[in-house]
Amino acid sequence: GQGKEITKKVGGGLLIDWINCLIGEVVVHERLFKVREDGMTKAHYYRSLSKETTFAFLSLLFLDADTGLQMPSTVAATLEFSFMFLMNLTPLSNLFWDWMLRREHHGRVEFCKACVDQGRQAFCDLRHISPSFSSKDHDKCRDHDQKNKTCTEKFVDARGVLVQGHWATNEEE
């Protein structure tokens, strides 16, 4: 904070202090779901990972004023005042983050189209469901016989629903 002290001749004074800060928070929820699928005797465990962010601006103003009359026989007066302003900036930060990810999304769409346009290859999209997703490891053109190897892994989404990757191809199934 930055403070300014204004002193009167008789010893009283006014102290003004203000503090401005940005507050950010990321909360990560990791859950493990026990799922027994149809026809299976043994249950499987699936991991789900979700993130929530919060971003805010906080401004605090403190005012402390006293009369300066400190003699034992007189009364001294002190006035204290504080004001707080809090603005949630999460929607603004989400807009910025979406704008930043837009280029990545368009690049991934074009890469997927290039894989499947000729009909020779396919693409498995795990971006939004795999907790361990990395574009370097997962965004690759795949041969059609790799579907069971690359795109049948199951995950649990943030709502607790069992999901698997999307297999994009031009072949009719």
Side-chain angles (χ1 to χ4, degrees):
Q2 302 173 356
K4 182 155 182 119
E5 190 168 340
I6 303 166
T7 306
K8 298 178 184 173
K9 291 180 182 178
V10 291
L14 175 68
L15 175 68
I16 300 172
D17 196 14
W18 64 91
I19 300 170
N20 293 317
C21 57
L22 293 174
I23 302 167
E25 172 184 62
V26 176
V27 178
V28 178
H29 299 279
E30 185 172 15
R31 299 180 187 110
L32 193 63
F33 290 88
K34 183 177 181 179
V35 178
R36 188 181 310 266
E37 297 179 59
D38 293 338
M40 299 186 112
T41 57
K42 190 175 179 184
H44 292 283
Y45 291 90
Y46 296 99
R47 180 176 164 222
S48 173
L49 188 67
S50 63
K51 299 174 198 115
E52 297 172 16
T53 59
T54 304
F55 188 59
F57 171 74
L58 177 65
S59 184
L60 301 165
L61 173 68
F62 299 100
L63 175 73
D64 185 4
D66 38 275
T67 60
L69 303 174
Q70 303 297 325
M71 290 188 264
S73 62
T74 60
V75 177
T78 299
L79 172 69
E80 292 182 0
F81 172 76
S82 64
F83 175 76
M84 180 178 80
F85 174 74
L86 177 66
M87 177 184 275
N88 184 0
L89 298 176
T90 304
L92 185 62
S93 65
N94 287 345
L95 283 173
F96 180 73
W97 185 246
D98 288 347
W99 177 76
M100 295 286 288
L101 291 177
R102 184 175 183 202
R103 178 179 287 177
E104 178 197 353
H105 173 72
H106 286 300
R108 293 183 74 244
V109 168
E110 292 304 316
F111 184 78
C112 176
K113 284 181 183 178
C115 289
V116 301
D117 272 349
Q118 305 300 320
R120 293 186 300 247
Q121 290 187 308
F123 183 82
C124 179
D125 188 7
L126 299 172
R127 171 73 168 98
H128 298 287
I129 60 172
S130 174
S132 61
F133 175 83
S134 76
S135 189
K136 179 183 163 191
D137 295 334
H138 293 95
D139 283 352
K140 297 178 182 174
C141 293
R142 307 286 182 174
D143 293 328
H144 292 285
D145 61 353
Q146 289 182 312
K147 180 178 181 178
N148 289 338
K149 180 181 176 187
T150 60
C151 211
T152 56
E153 183 178 0
K154 295 184 180 172
F155 305 93
V156 176
D157 68 6
R159 297 178 316 248
V161 177
L162 194 61
V163 294
Q164 63 188 47
H166 173 71
W167 183 255
T169 182
N170 274 348
E171 281 189 342
E172 296 208 17
E173 295 184 24

